[in-house]
Amino acid sequence: MDYFCCEIYIKEGERWIAKTDQNSLDTWHARLFAFINHKVVGFIWNREPLLLYVNMNSKVPCISGRMIHGDAIDDEWLAVWLLREATIRFPELVVSVRDSDGEFLLAEAAMHIPQWITPENSMNRVFMHWGQLHIVPLAIASTNKVADTGAIGLEKALDAVADTNTLTIASAAVGLAAFARLEGYPEKLRQSMHRARCRLPIAVAQALAEQPMLIAAASELFYTRDPIQMKACQRMEHFPPEPSTDALVLFNRVQYAKLVSQNIRAPTVFELPPAESAEFKARALGMKVACGFEILAHESNQLGAPAATADTDNANQ
């Protein structure tokens, strides 16, 4: 599972937010949520948005974040860009990031990082602060009983990063290499989106108009479908193909490419025009999106969760 996670530590005055500062953490959570949402208005994440939550269980209480990005590595770098921007806007913040491979910023700058840093001693040593990459030197005293392991306590590391008298800012070469993939933001947000005309069941079109991010779950479920899930698409009990309507659907490019690449025989409930027809592309793409929604509704019912359907949508009108 390809995932991204982060911790956002906050220094108020002379100390880091403590477990007794629940109200401060809640305020910062709301502030950062608004800041990030403003930056990504209209953006469609591949699998799910970056989710921020108050983490009182960390050794230093913080705002943590997590995200499953799947095949869209650009979503991970978007999250890094957003968090780096947050450290510029709010100098109280010190941020650490990692993914399923570990300290990926170090991996990006592997040709330039100090020789002493290794996967074994990098914990609590790599952060973003004021828009720059910081690497806490090995010379900073360890709080571990076995000093030569290179381990360092989290709060001691954070103090070093926030202390302007302690040199933790990475060299220019390391910083440039680590953040190289951030070049082009925020313009990359627009470039990663794609609008396409789809012929959709009215209930699906309405759902996407209200919650555009539903396309993430629908496209992923269709792409990873199995024969049992496709049986639900033979009936389309929740989202029958008719009545239907044309809609401009916003995808990210990974989602769109996945759907277009899938060549399947349309379920019999769909009546697609000949492949050479001018309407074929919109109807075929709409069929795939509708099937994704049907699988989503079917899976929700299997889990005992309520699912939106054409009948319930029409009943609420």
Side-chain angles (χ1 to χ4, degrees):
M1 185 72 71
D2 293 317
Y3 67 85
F4 167 90
C5 51
C6 65
E7 280 75 43
I8 306 169
Y9 303 100
I10 304 125
K11 191 169 190 178
E12 291 190 329
E14 296 300 314
R15 66 184 184 90
W16 301 98
I17 283 184
K19 293 184 184 294
T20 55
D21 299 326
Q22 178 76 52
N23 289 341
S24 291
L25 277 171
D26 289 341
T27 298
W28 273 103
H29 177 263
R31 186 178 297 157
L32 291 168
F33 180 84
F35 176 82
I36 288 175
N37 275 7
H38 177 73
K39 294 278 187 183
V40 295
V41 169
F43 179 74
I44 302 295
W45 300 82
N46 182 51
R47 291 284 296 275
E48 62 185 20
L50 177 63
L51 172 67
L52 300 180
Y53 59 96
V54 172
N55 183 357
M56 298 297 287
N57 296 320
S58 173
K59 291 182 179 178
V60 176
C62 63
I63 308 297
S64 290
R66 64 171 179 80
M67 174 181 67
I68 296 173
H69 56 76
D71 300 327
I73 193 65
D74 282 351
D75 278 15
E76 177 171 281
W77 288 103
L78 169 58
V80 174
W81 176 73
L82 290 168
L83 293 167
R84 185 188 182 199
E85 289 292 300
T87 69
I88 296 171
R89 173 64 180 82
F90 305 109
E92 300 95 330
L93 308 182
V94 175
V95 177
S96 67
V97 298
R98 64 188 184 281
D99 66 8
S100 43
D101 293 322
E103 296 280 1
F104 63 93
L105 292 179
L106 291 183
E108 290 293 308
M111 300 300 292
H112 305 280
I113 59 175
Q115 291 185 351
W116 61 261
I117 197 163
T118 67
E120 290 72 31
N121 65 21
S122 63
M123 181 180 290
N124 296 338
R125 291 194 180 275
V126 184
F127 300 93
M128 292 188 292
H129 180 52
W130 274 6
Q132 295 178 299
L133 184 69
H134 290 248
I135 299 177
V136 179
L138 198 59
I140 301 295
S142 171
T143 56
N144 192 287
K145 291 181 180 179
V146 185
D148 60 4
T149 64
I152 183 173
L154 175 58
E155 189 163 355
K156 193 173 191 69
L158 293 173
D159 286 340
V161 171
D163 183 1
T164 56
N165 295 316
T166 303
L167 183 59
T168 60
I169 298 175
S171 70
V174 172
L176 286 172
F179 293 142
R181 297 205 204 193
L182 303 188
E183 289 296 320
Y185 284 102
E187 178 61 20
K188 276 187 179 179
L189 290 174
R190 186 189 63 80
Q191 294 172 351
S192 66
M193 295 292 95
H194 181 80
R195 290 187 183 274
R197 185 170 70 90
C198 300
R199 188 72 180 182
L200 297 171
I202 286 178
V204 173
Q206 290 174 338
L208 286 173
E210 294 173 6
Q211 299 184 56
M213 262 302 296
L214 284 172
I215 194 62
S219 59
E220 184 66 20
L221 283 169
F222 180 79
Y223 185 72
T224 60
R225 69 196 180 280
D226 59 35
I228 293 176
Q229 290 172 322
M230 279 306 295
K231 286 183 179 179
C233 299
Q234 295 295 337
R235 299 185 298 274
M236 297 297 291
E237 293 177 348
H238 299 93
F239 297 101
E242 297 298 336
S244 63
T245 185
D246 280 345
L248 272 179
V249 177
L250 184 64
F251 303 85
N252 74 34
R253 292 190 177 275
V254 173
Q255 294 160 351
Y256 180 74
K258 281 182 173 181
L259 291 182
V260 171
S261 70
Q262 296 290 290
N263 294 317
I264 69 163
R265 179 177 295 179
T268 54
V269 293
F270 289 91
E271 296 182 3
L272 296 186
E276 61 273 13
S277 166
E279 292 299 308
F280 178 80
K281 185 175 179 180
R283 286 187 173 271
L285 185 58
M287 176 268 294
K288 296 172 184 178
V289 172
C291 285
F293 267 82
E294 187 67 27
I295 294 170
L296 178 60
H298 178 75
E299 295 295 306
S300 297
N301 285 347
Q302 292 290 97
L303 294 172
T309 66
D311 290 339
T312 55
D313 285 346
N314 291 334
N316 291 330
Q317 289 179 5

